Amino acid sequence: MDDRSSTRLSTSTNDTVWECVIPYVQESRDRDAVSLVCKRWWQIDSITRKHITMALCYTAKPEQLSRRFPHLESVKLKGKPRAAMFNLIPEDWGGYVTPWVVEITKSFSRLKALHFRRMIVGDSDLELLAIRRGKVLQVLKLDKCSGFSTDGLLHIARSCRNLRTLLMEESSIIEKDGEWVHELALNNTVLENLNFYMTDLVQVRAEDLELIARNCKSLVSMKISECEITNLLGFFRAAAALEEFGGGAINDQPEHVAENGYNEQAGKYAAVVFPPRLCQLGLTYLGKNEMSILFPITSRVKKLDLLYALLDTAAHCFLLQRCPNLEILETRNVVGDRGLEVLGQYCKRLKRLRIERGADDQEMEDEEGAVTHSGLIDLAKGCLELEYMAVYVSDITNEALEIIGRYLKNLSDFRLVLLDREERITDLPLDNGVRALLRGCHNLRRFALYVRPGGLTDVGLSYVGKYSPNVRWMLLGYVGESDHGLLEFSKGCPSLQKLEMRGCCFSERALALAALQLKSLRYLWVQGYRASSAGRDLLAMARPFWNIELIPARRVVANDGNNGEAVVSEHPAHILAYYSLAGQRTDFSDTVRPLDPTYLLAE
């Protein structure tokens, strides 16, 4: 065999080996690196890639995605910026799924799973999916979406008979009737997850949920809107495989305890018996009088959602100390420092903790109903397996951040918001604490710090850049003192792909220069900055494939949830900049102004 034939054989063998190996590379960043090695590896990646996530649906055109990865089985698309979850982005900003649905139904013949997040979905989009992909679609997630009604869900329920997951959590859905649930119960026998938690769907019948449980023996998760829990007794009996339940409601007002000690309401809810495998639970409006219905299962509970429970600090403590296997807790800051102390003592397996702020206009039932540095210290010393922590705190110190960095070595996602509830904070600035946390938590990939003016100096901001080598997403609020701090920050963060900032003192020019210095940056969102006339100073970051959009400052009128009066709030201007292979998008609303460098330079 001559050398030329030997080389061809060796090359062919190597290609065969890599065709077998590359499909096992699952991490998207590793896949991206593989595709850059050579043309052949690029081709192998193209034909073997099964899943893609697009952090912004405008970064490529649908037809570009189908040409690049023709055999995708799973697609996740994100639309509006994350700030839309906090009502900071106009509803008509964009994020329409229609062009994607058209391309998906035409080109992706192997697609089984589809996840839209913060996008505008029409009934016609759901109808087209049902007609063209109904027989093969197994997962459909409409996550925090809007624009569709129960008519669209009816098409899905009738045609997608192999659907295993249907999710619509926190979506804004126009409800016409509850027929879609009935059709889903009649047509589907393989459903595993149904989620319409935190929606306004109130016409769902308990009988249809029970029918789903009877017909779908593999049903493991059900999260619903408000429905009196005592109406679900049949559902709980039928759902033998159920592991997660969220929603429902305990709507009756608390009853007085009789002289003989009998509580009529507690007796009523004593009839609630949860399925034997249930270990993840969140009941809406759960009060301390009904808490006893959880006691038979607390020893096996792994996840508790208490965000919409009506429990004070003492009730939180009483319940949490009965949950030794708890891994995920979501609640509000009424849990208090005492609740975090209990977590540290009794919940050693805790991996994820999310503490949201309580209602600002609601009086705390317990003076201890606030989270501070004291509670965080007890938590960090006791829950060493924590991987995710997102907390709203009323007070914070450098010591607390240092202890988090010292003890929580598995932490990959840390988010802290300092509330404006207290006029005086014990220990500001937080420069040294933030440095210690970042140096100690080597696995950190996502980091958010939202403080107040003076909470982090320019020196502290430079620490964030220097000690965040692996952080890919970051949110910074009210940090820094000057443009110098931002530019020092941008000399670091070599892995940062997505940066969000609010309420900062930086100029447009400094923001533009920082965007250029952050070598991995793919997405930048800023609200609140020192604006120049017409955004001219942002031209410093203009470059090929880099789109820049502005949302001018505006007044937003909303109804006060308490008395119905109109409340006017001032929204500062936004900057959104991102890489895109699709060029400038064309579906702008009147609230968005694209920044065209050619036009500005010609003025």
Side-chain angles (χ1 to χ4, degrees):
M1 182 182 292
D2 59 26
D3 291 343
R4 188 178 303 176
S5 299
S6 176
T7 301
R8 282 199 300 268
L9 180 59
S10 175
T11 301
S12 175
T13 302
N14 285 337
D15 284 348
T16 302
V17 169
W18 288 116
E19 285 173 7
C20 297
V21 171
I22 289 177
Y24 287 95
V25 179
Q26 301 298 329
E27 172 62 40
S28 60
R29 287 165 63 91
D30 294 337
R31 275 285 191 148
D32 293 341
V34 162
S35 68
L36 297 176
V37 173
C38 63
K39 184 176 181 180
R40 182 55 189 154
W41 285 23
W42 183 92
Q43 292 171 338
I44 295 173
D45 177 46
S46 177
I47 61 176
T48 61
R49 184 83 70 113
K50 295 293 188 290
H51 172 78
I52 195 79
T53 295
M54 290 183 62
L56 183 63
C57 62
Y58 293 111
T59 54
K61 294 179 180 178
E63 56 270 25
Q64 289 175 319
L65 183 66
S66 62
R67 285 198 301 267
R68 177 70 178 92
F69 303 112
H71 303 312
L72 288 175
E73 296 179 2
S74 172
V75 172
K76 180 178 181 179
L77 298 173
K78 298 181 182 180
K80 295 184 182 70
R82 201 181 63 90
M85 297 189 298
F86 307 97
N87 298 319
L88 298 176
I89 302 295
E91 174 60 26
D92 61 354
W93 175 86
Y96 301 94
V97 305
T98 300
W100 288 99
V101 169
V102 170
E103 184 66 23
I104 285 168
T105 56
K106 181 177 68 173
S107 302
F108 292 106
S109 59
R110 301 185 184 184
L111 195 74
K112 299 175 183 178
L114 193 54
H115 184 172
F116 296 131
R117 182 171 172 86
R118 297 191 299 270
M119 299 190 74
I120 298 176
V121 182
D123 286 342
S124 58
D125 300 316
L126 297 179
E127 182 179 8
L128 185 58
L129 276 175
I131 293 172
R132 299 283 183 86
R133 288 289 174 264
K135 293 181 180 180
V136 296
L137 196 63
Q138 296 180 7
V139 177
L140 178 60
K141 296 182 179 181
L142 307 174
D143 184 4
K144 297 177 177 65
C145 292
S146 61
F148 62 101
S149 75
T150 50
D151 287 348
L153 296 178
L154 191 61
H155 291 295
I156 296 296
R158 285 174 173 168
S159 300
C160 301
R161 302 194 174 201
N162 291 310
L163 205 62
R164 287 166 169 74
T165 296
L166 178 58
L167 179 147
M168 299 155 282
E169 184 165 340
E170 292 189 47
S171 285
S172 178
I173 307 169
I174 301 169
E175 185 175 39
K176 297 182 179 180
D177 54 47
E179 189 62 22
W180 68 276
V181 185
H182 185 67
E183 288 293 325
L184 188 66
L186 294 177
N187 294 305
N188 193 306
T189 59
V190 296
L191 193 68
E192 298 173 1
N193 302 281
L194 177 60
N195 184 342
F196 52 97
Y197 185 52
M198 297 308 300
T199 67
D200 294 327
L201 299 178
V202 297
Q203 298 185 45
V204 175
R205 295 183 294 271
E207 296 80 6
D208 290 331
L209 297 179
E210 181 178 348
L211 185 58
I212 289 176
R214 293 189 184 282
N215 291 343
C216 303
K217 300 302 182 183
S218 299
L219 186 71
V220 294
S221 176
M222 175 77 80
K223 300 181 71 175
I224 65 175
S225 54
E226 290 186 25
C227 176
E228 171 56 44
I229 199 76
T230 53
N231 294 334
L232 298 173
L233 300 182
F235 165 76
F236 288 134
R237 283 194 296 268
L242 198 70
E243 298 176 8
E244 179 180 25
F245 178 80
I250 295 176
N251 291 316
D252 290 346
Q253 294 299 314
E255 301 285 350
H256 293 292
V257 178
E259 292 183 2
N260 62 3
Y262 178 72
N263 184 321
E264 182 178 344
Q265 184 175 345
K268 172 184 177 180
Y269 288 105
V272 177
V273 178
F274 294 114
R277 298 183 186 176
L278 193 72
C279 58
Q280 303 180 59
L281 186 63
L283 297 179
T284 307
Y285 309 137
L286 175 73
K288 56 186 176 183
N289 290 328
E290 304 83 40
M291 202 164 55
S292 59
I293 67 175
L294 304 183
F295 293 163
I297 67 168
T298 50
S299 63
R300 68 171 186 263
V301 165
K302 295 182 179 180
K303 176 182 177 181
L304 267 180
D305 179 353
L306 302 177
L307 285 170
Y308 302 99
L310 304 178
L311 302 179
D312 60 14
T313 304
H316 271 83
C317 295
F318 190 71
L319 177 60
L320 293 174
Q321 67 185 7
R322 293 170 174 261
C323 302
N325 294 306
L326 190 66
E327 297 179 1
I328 302 172
L329 175 63
E330 299 181 354
T331 186
R332 297 190 180 274
N333 51 15
V334 69
V335 67
D337 287 339
R338 193 150 60 96
L340 297 191
E341 181 183 359
V342 170
L343 282 174
Q345 289 177 346
Y346 294 93
C347 305
K348 299 295 186 180
R349 299 183 180 182
L350 194 68
K351 290 181 171 59
R352 294 178 62 87
L353 175 65
R354 174 184 167 201
I355 301 177
E356 294 284 351
R357 68 188 302 169
D360 293 330
D361 58 346
Q362 194 174 29
E363 290 293 329
M364 287 290 183
E365 295 184 33
D366 194 319
E367 291 183 359
E368 297 176 281
V371 173
T372 71
H373 49 88
S374 175
L376 293 183
I377 290 173
D378 290 331
L379 177 77
K381 290 181 177 180
C383 300
L384 304 183
E385 296 183 18
L386 270 172
E387 300 171 2
Y388 170 94
M389 183 195 303
V391 294
Y392 283 76
V393 298
S394 299
D395 200 0
I396 188 65
T397 62
N398 282 281
E399 181 191 11
L401 298 177
E402 290 168 4
I403 287 177
I404 289 173
R406 186 186 310 161
Y407 285 91
L408 302 183
K409 298 302 182 181
N410 294 331
L411 204 62
S412 62
D413 192 333
F414 176 80
R415 312 179 192 196
L416 183 140
V417 177
L418 178 59
L419 296 171
D420 54 9
R421 177 177 168 180
E422 303 292 337
E423 289 187 12
R424 182 180 177 277
I425 301 302
T426 302
D427 187 16
L428 292 183
L430 299 171
D431 297 359
N432 292 332
V434 168
R435 176 178 59 180
L437 185 149
L438 292 172
R439 292 178 69 178
C441 300
H442 304 292
N443 294 326
L444 213 58
R445 299 294 183 270
R446 298 170 70 84
F447 176 73
L449 185 68
Y450 197 102
V451 286
R452 59 175 64 179
L456 197 72
T457 68
D458 282 349
V459 173
L461 193 53
S462 71
Y463 290 158
V464 175
K466 184 176 181 180
Y467 298 109
S468 301
N470 301 313
V471 175
R472 301 174 190 173
W473 170 85
M474 193 176 290
L475 167 64
L476 301 173
Y478 294 95
V479 299
E481 302 166 297
S482 68
D483 287 351
H484 175 73
L486 178 64
L487 294 177
E488 288 298 309
F489 159 82
S490 64
K491 292 178 181 178
C493 296
S495 303
L496 189 63
Q497 295 181 332
K498 192 171 184 179
L499 175 62
E500 303 175 12
M501 292 190 287
R502 286 193 72 195
C504 298
C505 59
F506 312 126
S507 67
E508 284 183 354
R509 181 164 182 79
L511 291 167
L513 294 176
L516 291 175
Q517 288 192 151
L518 292 163
K519 299 303 182 182
S520 298
L521 194 68
R522 297 291 180 267
Y523 177 101
L524 173 67
W525 175 82
V526 184
Q527 185 196 39
Y529 56 94
R530 300 204 319 267
S532 66
S533 60
R536 285 180 175 273
D537 287 349
L538 292 172
L539 292 178
M541 66 173 165
R543 54 195 186 274
F545 307 111
W546 185 250
N547 290 351
I548 306 172
E549 301 176 8
L550 304 178
I551 300 177
R554 60 198 177 98
R555 288 187 172 184
V556 178
V557 180
N559 289 327
D560 189 327
N562 297 316
N563 52 32
E565 294 182 358
V567 176
V568 179
S569 58
E570 300 287 342
H571 281 210
H574 303 239
I575 300 170
L576 178 64
Y578 55 93
Y579 268 118
S580 174
L581 298 175
Q584 198 70 265
R585 66 186 178 106
T586 58
D587 60 353
F588 293 107
S589 67
D590 293 337
T591 56
V592 180
R593 182 163 63 88
L595 190 65
D596 187 341
T598 305
Y599 172 76
L600 284 177
L601 290 173
E603 282 188 332

